[in-house]
């Protein structure tokens, strides 16, 4: 090998990414930059490239069950506003920043990964045909499986728009009101967005504990402020009400009506009952048991690689919600960990081809923190304390529940011309 590789001599490295959401797309977007000798788009400082390996040709396969990227944070609004719903599901072929021969998207689920052989098997979503993919590096970024209506269950944009439309119609015509069961982040945001978009609909949030966000390790100040903002947004809130039963009442030919009973004897009626109390499940069933803990989370080192104990652990990385790591599962963390995984794959490639010892990008412990949109305002809480207001909404979510912030940070429209090193 000469002192400097010709661009045509750049190695081709195969990366298989399971999951095309925040973490998976962040890995791909940042790898593209690194392969061109640029600093990764999410990196705050210039990235030091090795003069003997200025370029890497990537052969990236991204497998996802959906036909596009869905902005998960936008779900509460997407399920209340049809125009917004159209904006937040973008088919993979319509993401300008990822249209390159170096990336191939397949709509498929990953059924198994053989870490020793470095092969992944996928099942095509349409044909149900199995295919095997060889890779040099594998990234598990399939996240957690969440139930309806926390996320739409559709796998195509077309089906999703029908699913959302049906839901929006049912809540808009809810003459007996809408009841949202569950005072976690999802329930709070869903109730508030619904009230914001459909101010005439009576919206009631029900929570079984005496504080909202009871399953999160957040301050009482944050939990109390969330309740206050929810009430200010016009949502009725029933605390310490545990659901006992929901029975569909007989109605002659009018809209549906549900009789709701609580363990404390209280009863009420509603036209629509939204369950926002789901326990998210790991999607990592395709990985060997050595790679995951009892709850299905992937055991990783601070450089995102699988912990020792799985064959070829250093060629397998995990980013996003599937990681067994501290902190509340958030999309900011998913993008951040995906960006670190991309840097570290590049560092492994440098080690192999030019012998440079890697100085890895290392994940730090994450304290409990949250940003919560509550109608027109937001509350944010972390180690520095709790802040709230319309300015917090602007800073954390802008005007579109974080869509523009995420889109720009991942560079899904492409790398801006002025982003040179």
């Amino acid at each position: 090998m000469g002192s400097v590789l010709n661009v045509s001599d750049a190695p081709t490295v195969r990366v298989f990414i399971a999951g095309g959401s925040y973490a998976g797309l962040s890995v791909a977007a940042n790898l593209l930059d690194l392969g061109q000798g640029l600093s990764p788009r999410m990196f705050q400082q210039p990235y030091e490239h090795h003069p003997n390996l200025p370029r890497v040709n990537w052969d990236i396969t991204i497998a996802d069950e959906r036909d596009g990227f869905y902005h998960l944070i936008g779900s509460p609004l997407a399920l209340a506003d049809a125009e917004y719903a159209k904006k937040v599901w973008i088919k993979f072929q319509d993401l300008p920043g990822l249209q390159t021969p170096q990336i191939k998207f397949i709509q498929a689920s990953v059924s198994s990964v053989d870490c020793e052989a470095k092969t992944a098997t996928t099942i095509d979503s349409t044909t149900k045909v199995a295919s095997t993919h060889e890779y040099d590096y594998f990234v598990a970024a399939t996240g957690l499986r969440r139930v309806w209506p926390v996320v739409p269950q559709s796998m195509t944009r077309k089906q999703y728009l029908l699913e959302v439309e049906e839901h929006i119609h049912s809540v808009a015509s809810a003459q007996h009101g809408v009841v949202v069961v569950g005072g976690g982040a999802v329930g709070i945001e869903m109730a508030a967005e619904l009230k914001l978009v459909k101010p005439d609909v009576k919206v009631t949030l029900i929570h079984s504990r005496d504080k909202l966000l009871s399953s999160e390790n957040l301050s009482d100040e944050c939990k109390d402020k969330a309740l206050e903002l929810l009430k200010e947004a016009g949502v009725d809130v029933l605390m310490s009400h545990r659901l006992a039963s929901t029975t569909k009442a007989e109605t002659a030919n009018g809209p549906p009506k549900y009789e709701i009973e609580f363990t404390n004897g209280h009863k009420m009626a509603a036209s629509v009952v939204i369950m926002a109390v789901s326990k998210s499940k790991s999607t990592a069933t395709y990985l060997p048991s050595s790679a995951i803990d009892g709850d299905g989370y992937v055991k990783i080192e601070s450089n995102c690689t699988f912990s020792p104990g799985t064959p070829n652990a250093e060629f397998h990385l995990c980013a996003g919600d599937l990681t067994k790591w501290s902190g509340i599962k958030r999309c900011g963390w998913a993008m951040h960990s995906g960006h670190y995984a991309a840097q570290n794959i590049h560092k492994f490639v440098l080690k192999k081809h030019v012998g440079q010892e890697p100085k890895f990008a290392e994940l730090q412990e994450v304290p409990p923190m949250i940003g919560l949109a509550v109608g027109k305002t937001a509350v944010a809480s972390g180690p520095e304390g709790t802040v709230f207001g319309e300015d917090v909404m602007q800073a954390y979510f802008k005007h579109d529940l974080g869509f523009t912030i995420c889109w720009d940070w991942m560079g899904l429209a492409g790398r801006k011309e002025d982003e040179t090193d």
Side-chain angles (χ1 to χ4, degrees):
M1 191 195 296
S3 60
V4 177
L5 277 173
N6 291 325
V7 172
S8 58
D9 296 337
T12 295
V13 179
R14 299 166 302 179
V15 181
F16 188 96
I17 301 172
S21 192
Y22 304 103
L25 296 187
S26 295
V27 175
N30 288 288
L31 282 177
L32 286 181
D33 297 339
L34 289 162
Q36 291 169 24
L38 303 168
S39 290
R41 57 192 68 180
M42 292 184 182
F43 196 44
Q44 303 308 316
Q45 305 95 11
Y47 181 92
E48 278 191 40
H49 281 271
H50 195 286
N52 294 355
L53 192 75
R55 298 290 175 109
V56 178
N57 295 319
W58 303 109
D59 176 0
I60 299 170
T61 301
I62 301 176
D64 197 281
E65 293 176 349
R66 296 191 180 109
D67 69 1
F69 164 67
Y70 175 64
H71 178 56
L72 193 70
I73 310 168
S75 270
L77 185 51
L79 291 168
D81 181 338
E83 276 312 301
Y84 179 79
K86 289 177 192 166
K87 175 179 175 172
V88 292
W89 183 305
I90 304 99
K91 292 176 87 158
F92 290 124
Q93 72 233 39
D94 297 330
L95 294 172
L98 298 178
Q99 300 314 308
T100 156
Q102 296 193 42
I103 297 181
K104 180 170 85 215
F105 288 99
I106 56 172
Q107 194 181 347
S109 55
V110 180
S111 58
S112 64
V113 174
D114 183 333
C115 298
E116 206 153 354
K118 290 170 52 176
T119 58
T121 303
T122 57
I123 307 291
D124 185 281
S125 297
T126 313
T127 63
K128 306 300 177 206
V129 171
S131 307
T132 303
H133 311 262
E134 297 180 351
Y135 58 79
D136 300 306
Y137 296 92
F138 176 90
V139 183
T142 44
L144 303 176
R145 202 171 290 292
R146 296 172 167 91
V147 298
W148 170 264
V150 179
V151 296
Q153 302 299 296
S154 305
M155 295 303 169
T156 64
R157 185 174 186 273
K158 189 177 173 184
Q159 194 59 45
Y160 148 79
L161 290 174
L162 292 172
E163 183 184 13
V164 166
E165 199 179 313
E166 202 173 301
H167 179 80
I168 292 171
H169 176 73
S170 68
V171 294
S173 55
Q175 66 183 68
H176 304 291
V178 175
V179 164
V180 178
V181 180
V186 172
I188 293 167
E189 292 192 333
M190 287 195 91
E193 291 300 332
L194 187 55
K195 190 67 188 173
L196 183 65
V197 178
K198 313 281 184 204
D200 300 341
V201 174
K202 179 178 164 64
V203 180
T204 308
L205 180 92
I206 287 154
H207 191 51
S208 58
R209 307 294 182 85
D210 60 353
K211 294 253 186 227
L212 295 177
L213 301 164
S214 49
S215 60
E216 304 296 0
N217 185 18
L218 295 161
S219 69
D220 281 351
E221 183 192 4
C222 171
K223 296 174 180 183
D224 294 343
K225 185 49 71 178
L227 176 60
E228 192 182 307
L229 294 178
L230 198 54
K231 288 177 173 173
E232 278 176 19
V235 175
D236 295 344
V237 186
L238 292 177
M239 302 298 287
S240 304
H241 274 62
R242 187 175 290 282
L243 191 65
S245 65
T246 306
T247 316
K248 192 166 185 178
E250 288 300 319
T251 49
N253 50 11
K257 183 180 177 185
Y258 294 91
E259 297 293 349
I260 302 164
E261 194 167 342
F262 301 94
T263 51
N264 62 7
H266 181 75
K267 292 180 182 175
M268 65 183 294
S271 295
V272 177
V273 179
I274 297 174
M275 300 301 290
V277 287
S278 73
K279 179 105 177 70
S280 304
K281 286 192 176 69
S282 162
T283 54
T285 49
Y286 50 83
L287 291 174
S289 56
S290 59
I292 53 181
D293 74 353
D295 295 319
Y297 291 102
V298 180
K299 296 177 285 190
I300 58 163
E301 302 300 290
S302 59
N303 66 356
C304 304
T305 59
F306 286 18
S307 295
T310 296
N312 287 317
E314 70 276 21
F315 298 98
H316 295 81
L317 297 90
C318 182
D321 285 0
L322 270 189
T323 52
K324 182 176 171 55
W325 204 257
S326 53
I328 295 169
K329 303 293 181 189
R330 298 167 12 262
C331 86
W333 155 255
M335 292 186 285
H336 174 70
S337 57
H339 152 226
Y340 273 28
Q343 282 193 48
N344 292 337
I345 288 171
H346 186 253
K347 289 169 196 282
F348 277 122
V349 172
L350 286 177
K351 182 183 180 182
K352 179 182 174 183
H353 290 277
V354 295
Q356 178 175 296
E357 273 309 308
K359 190 174 181 325
F360 292 118
E362 298 201 23
L363 300 171
Q364 305 300 312
E365 290 300 310
V366 183
M369 57 173 96
I370 199 166
L372 203 60
V374 191
K376 289 182 178 166
T377 60
V379 55
S381 189
E384 311 80 41
T386 297
V387 290
F388 62 93
E390 293 191 16
D391 55 333
V392 177
M393 182 70 169
Q394 189 56 30
Y396 277 73
F397 298 100
K398 286 200 169 158
H399 59 287
D400 56 8
L401 279 195
F403 177 81
T404 301
I405 294 172
C406 295
W407 177 270
D408 290 349
W409 198 33
M410 288 189 280
L412 295 183
R415 194 182 169 97
K416 296 188 185 75
E417 286 308 309
D418 56 5
E419 287 184 82
T420 49
D421 295 306

